[in-house]
Amino acid sequence: MTSAGFHLLFFAAIAAYAADDRYATALFKKHCATCHESANAAAARIPPMATLRAKTPVAILRTLESGVMKAQAAPLSASERQLIANLLGVKVTTERKRDEISNPCPAGAGWKDGPGWQSWGPGLANTRFQEAKEAGLSAEDVPKLSPKWVFAFPDTTVLRSQPAVYRGKLFVGGQDGSVYSLDAATGCVHWMTTVQAEVRSGITVAEVAGRPTIFFGDSSGYLYSLDGETGKQLWKLQGDEHPASKATATPVFYRGRLYVGVSSLEETLAISPGYVCCTFRGSESALDAATGKVLWKRYMIAERAAPQRKTKRGAQAYGPSGAGVWTAATLDPDRDTLYVGTGDNYSDPPTATSDAIVALRMSTGEMVWSKQINVGDSWNSSCSVPGKVNCPDSDGPDFDFAASPVLVSLPNGRRELLLGQKSGMTYAIDPDRRGQILWQARVGKGGIVGGIEWGVATDGRNLYVALSDVGFQISLLPNSHDRQYDLDPTQGGGMFALRIDNGERMWQTPPPGCGDRRPCSPAQSAAVTAIPGAVFSGSLDGHLRSYSTDTGKIIWDFDTVRDFNTVNGVPGKGGAIDVGGPVVAAGMLFAVSGSAQRSNLPGNVLIAFGVD
């Protein structure tokens, strides 16, 4: 390619930052337009463009992945299918009428006082620990837990959004874009609203102007505010103008402000030889919770991407890029500071803020300090398949921080941020000394989806860590840009307890194993949750287990891979458990089950456990 040609390609890619995504448009022209833009489309019973643009992105994506267009969409990667769905779909939010809802709650059912779990963690420090009074469960109660009711999502094989509990109601979102307000005690439905794409982040609930309000993000990068009483949309905005952005980070509320991070699927688009990688850069923003107005925005990479030299494999590239924010911020209001973890770079050159913990002013977004743990980590999905066409020369190792930092205070007055990383390492760093490392401890070998994935927990004594280290054989599907994952049933998993003051390992419990179940992985990648005396961890093998915090002994083990009778009449079955962890409040434990991602076990249920 000539220099002039490369610059044209570069500026075309920069133009993709606008809502008109040039790459998605090119994909549509190549794979779809011949039929759907034909003058005879309607006569041939092919939906014309006007019909497609009346559908939501989630409906279009379903057609491409499992519907009548599955064969035609096979050459596309999963991320490319998502981009086309985002390009075509109408960006609407629909409140369902009462007569459209199965198992509605009695009219006039109101709010109740009581404990809750209102965000990624039950508090701003992201300890994922629920005190005894709020939990309503003791370690002695845990072996007696059993399902009290089960709710199933239609047209669903993956559930990644963590629910929230507030004043007797449970709020949860699904793969089909549905958001429900359920009665926490019975599972009846107060309201249902459908947004444009999969509910990807966890749910946050807060009082705004005297009304309960819920916040969350979707897989097309939009953030939402809904009225907690009715489900009516209050505001919606795109977290970032980049068309490949998505909202995995659970929003965090404090005193009228919402703090939100942005991640991206651009890293996976690079698997396609025709994609020139990469331009996305992660960010954290503060929003006015009442209006959605952006009060400040801080990019994790200060400069925009610029043309770079070709990689050693001859691929055109531009950068720097990446450093996405995948998970909820940890707030430190007394010091006007928040802490976020960042991911790897997607292309060279590597930056100093990838694979890092970044401290920002809550009031202004000013960067206070940044502590990088791994230097030179540039990676994208092309690096994991034969040919590595778009792989940057740095070539990984892809050691993101996908677990929120955890802020704790020690008896000696020192404070720590406790970290779990995809490298398989845990750390304690000093937030008051610019992230100085206080101790570090290894629990696994780490990897692309290995190490510590979505969240750790602490009771102020130990740090409780679940290990992923899932094993795959990865290959490209024939005539496709997508990947085939073959799970290794012998690799991954395990639970660990480390002293928070020095990192000493107090106990380790190996995974029980997959047995004869196939496909199966014993990896434990979902976030963990603790109460006094017990810690809970879900596994890709479909089991939800609880461990004694004193000994590590498994004190409760529930296999979710079974058929369930559901309160809303939708056929329900559990599967692999990933991303969001269990939520505990007022004597109940709530967990979602089902993750068909990467050949794991599909499922579609929310299970509410209680004590007989």
Side-chain angles (χ1 to χ4, degrees), residues 515-552:
D516 296 329
R517 178 167 289 165
R518 298 293 184 276
C520 181
S521 170
Q524 295 168 239
S525 53
V528 300
T529 297
I531 63 172
V535 58
F536 299 90
S537 172
S539 173
L540 295 184
D541 64 13
H543 286 253
L544 180 59
R545 301 182 177 97
S546 183
Y547 303 75
S548 165
T549 56
D550 289 329
T551 66

Side-chain angles (χ1 to χ4, degrees), residues 550-571:
D550 289 329
T551 66
K553 178 183 177 181
I554 296 174
I555 59 176
W556 178 70
D557 188 334
F558 185 86
D559 186 359
T560 69
V561 185
R562 63 180 75 180
D563 295 323
F564 290 96
N565 293 322
T566 66
V567 292
N568 58 328
V570 175

Side-chain angles (χ1 to χ4, degrees), residues 166-422:
Y166 183 66
R167 294 181 59 188
K169 296 182 181 181
L170 183 138
F171 301 93
V172 64
Q175 183 184 18
D176 62 349
S178 59
V179 184
Y180 293 88
S181 171
L182 307 178
D183 185 89
T186 68
C188 69
V189 181
H190 291 288
W191 53 255
M192 172 192 174
T193 295
T194 302
V195 298
Q196 67 188 49
E198 176 196 8
V199 180
R200 186 62 180 84
S201 80
I203 307 290
T204 289
V205 193
E207 292 279 340
V208 179
R211 291 184 65 84
T213 307
I214 73 168
F215 307 96
F216 58 91
D218 74 12
S219 60
S220 65
Y222 275 83
L223 300 163
Y224 299 83
S225 171
L226 304 184
D227 187 312
E229 179 69 39
T230 65
K232 179 181 179 180
Q233 180 179 295
L234 301 175
W235 55 257
K236 178 177 75 170
L237 78 155
Q238 203 162 12
D240 191 86
E241 66 272 20
H242 196 289
S245 65
K246 59 180 178 179
T248 62
T250 301
V252 180
F253 177 87
Y254 183 72
R255 291 191 176 180
R257 287 189 172 191
L258 206 63
Y259 298 91
V260 293
V262 179
S263 60
S264 170
L265 53 77
E266 190 181 29
E267 185 177 40
T268 62
L269 290 171
I271 199 172
S272 305
Y275 193 82
V276 181
C277 180
C278 281
T279 58
F280 171 82
R281 49 187 177 150
S283 63
E284 183 77 17
S285 297
L287 312 179
D288 183 309
T291 66
K293 178 183 177 182
V294 178
L295 303 174
W296 56 254
K297 182 172 186 175
R298 173 62 59 183
Y299 285 104
M300 298 297 106
I301 300 173
E303 65 269 29
R304 279 184 176 269
Q308 304 295 321
R309 63 177 175 82
K310 289 184 178 181
T311 70
K312 63 184 179 183
R313 297 175 181 85
Q316 300 288 350
Y318 41 94
S321 62
V325 178
W326 290 90
T327 194
T330 298
L331 270 54
D332 187 3
D334 290 344
R335 289 167 174 78
D336 187 29
T337 305
L338 64 81
Y339 309 98
V340 295
T342 66
D344 63 333
N345 293 118
Y346 301 164
S347 57
D348 289 329
T351 66
T353 49
S354 61
D355 295 357
I357 303 301
V358 179
L360 304 176
R361 290 284 178 221
M362 290 173 58
S363 55
T364 65
E366 172 194 357
M367 189 176 293
V368 182
W369 55 260
S370 175
K371 175 65 176 180
Q372 186 172 50
I373 302 298
N374 298 94
V375 176
D377 183 8
S378 295
W379 183 94
N380 61 53
S381 293
S382 179
C383 300
S384 65
V385 297
K388 297 189 173 187
V389 175
N390 283 321
C391 184
D393 293 345
S394 299
D395 196 0
D398 186 26
F399 284 164
D400 300 353
F401 281 102
S404 292
V406 177
L407 182 61
V408 296
S409 296
L410 301 179
N412 63 6
R414 189 179 69 193
R415 304 189 320 146
E416 293 180 338
L417 282 172
L418 302 172
L419 315 176
Q421 192 184 17
K422 284 170 54 179

